Amino acid sequence: SPARPFALKLKGAHHRCMQRSSKRQSVRWDPATKVKRMSQRGSVLPPLVDRHILTSKTRNDVGVGAFAFLFSEIVQYSQTRVSNVSELERKLADVGFDVGVRMLELLVHREKAGKRENRILGILSFLHTNVWKNLFGKTADSLERGTSADDEYMISDHDLLVNRFISVPRDMGHLNCGAFAAGIVEGVLKSSGFPARVTAHSVTSEGLSRPKTTILIKFSPEVIERDERLGS
């Protein structure tokens, strides 16, 4: 039997998104100068790769409602092509992986002047701060080292954006759409030369109304060995 669609809390997101899109300024292309100009302001925009994803004064140009609508479509599209929860999480992680690869290239160019990290703590800090802030509008809430293994690290977010608008059916209670964020992390790490197994987990914590999302990173043995050599 076909999988049941998700119940998604969009809170009129699509309607607000359409209203905002109708008010946007028109953009025309000037072939002589090969730059885009805002027709109402007449100002020259910088090249696309140099512009921040969130470009408004409030750094909230990409509406949360629009993102929720798009992500819900990704989840439902993926759901029709899998037969169980594990496969769905893997498919979401695969989508996130491609996002991570592209975000790495963009942020290394824009914020790191082409310099790439070669140490574990450096790349983890880059994920916790740069990547999270550009994708989700804030840094992750914590970055910790595992207590049971030296090759494990955890990035936690108390209110991960991709889980905020998802209402999971009871028969799929173990589903964690944070797998999308885990895929982003894995994409950044692998493209940076830090192969690792990355998974998303829901963790109940006191003082929080809903479980926080923890991204568990387990690095490959060669990554740990290389980091020890560089640190000696």
Side-chain angles (χ1 to χ4, degrees):
S1 61
R4 192 172 65 181
F6 282 87
L8 295 159
K9 304 174 183 176
L10 296 182
K11 299 181 180 179
H14 181 60
H15 175 68
R16 293 197 304 273
C17 178
M18 294 300 292
Q19 284 184 322
R20 282 195 295 269
S21 63
S22 65
K23 298 178 181 179
R24 289 177 183 168
Q25 298 172 329
S26 60
V27 180
R28 63 184 177 86
W29 181 259
D30 186 345
T33 58
K34 296 185 177 180
V35 295
K36 285 184 178 180
R37 300 176 183 275
M38 300 299 290
S39 60
Q40 292 185 2
R41 296 182 181 179
S43 59
V44 179
L45 295 179
L48 179 62
V49 76
D50 291 330
R51 296 206 304 271
H52 199 284
I53 295 173
L54 309 176
T55 55
S56 71
K57 293 180 180 179
T58 60
R59 300 182 71 82
N60 193 30
D61 204 40
V62 179
V64 174
F67 172 81
F69 181 80
L70 175 61
F71 188 68
S72 72
E73 291 298 310
I74 293 174
V75 173
Q76 293 181 67
Y77 174 84
S78 301
Q79 189 187 7
T80 61
R81 285 155 175 77
V82 299
S83 58
N84 55 58
V85 171
S86 297
E87 290 182 4
L88 178 55
E89 289 183 339
R90 184 66 258 168
K91 204 157 192 68
L92 291 175
D94 289 342
V95 176
F97 186 94
D98 292 337
V99 175
V101 171
R102 287 161 175 76
M103 281 301 299
L104 173 67
E105 297 298 327
L106 179 63
L107 296 182
V108 164
H109 168 79
R110 179 184 290 159
E111 300 182 5
K112 307 288 287 186
K115 180 182 177 182
R116 293 175 180 260
E117 300 291 344
N118 60 359
R119 300 294 302 276
I120 288 178
L121 289 181
I123 192 65
L124 289 175
S125 178
F126 176 73
L127 281 163
H128 169 271
T129 304
N130 301 70
V131 173
W132 235 254
K133 196 169 184 178
N134 277 275
L135 285 176
F136 305 123
K138 69 180 187 69
T139 60
D141 291 298
S142 66
L143 171 60
E144 305 170 275
R145 188 171 187 173
T147 56
S148 58
D150 293 337
D151 59 351
E152 291 183 351
Y153 292 82
M154 294 170 287
I155 297 176
S156 296
D157 193 313
H158 295 168
D159 187 25
L160 187 64
L161 183 61
V162 298
N163 280 335
R164 190 181 303 168
F165 301 95
I166 298 293
S167 178
V168 181
R170 290 184 179 180
D171 58 339
M172 303 184 74
H174 296 295
L175 173 67
N176 189 336
C177 290
F180 174 74
I184 293 175
V185 171
E186 187 174 354
V188 171
L189 290 174
K190 188 169 183 179
S191 297
S192 301
F194 294 85
R197 182 174 181 267
V198 185
T199 51
H201 305 270
S202 296
V203 180
T204 303
S205 299
E206 292 184 6
L208 297 178
S209 59
R210 56 187 300 168
K212 67 180 180 181
T213 301
T214 296
I215 308 298
L216 178 62
I217 303 166
K218 187 175 182 64
F219 287 105
S220 299
E222 61 268 25
V223 174
I224 303 300
E225 294 171 3
R226 182 185 65 202
D227 200 67
E228 290 175 349
R229 289 196 306 270
L230 292 173
S232 60

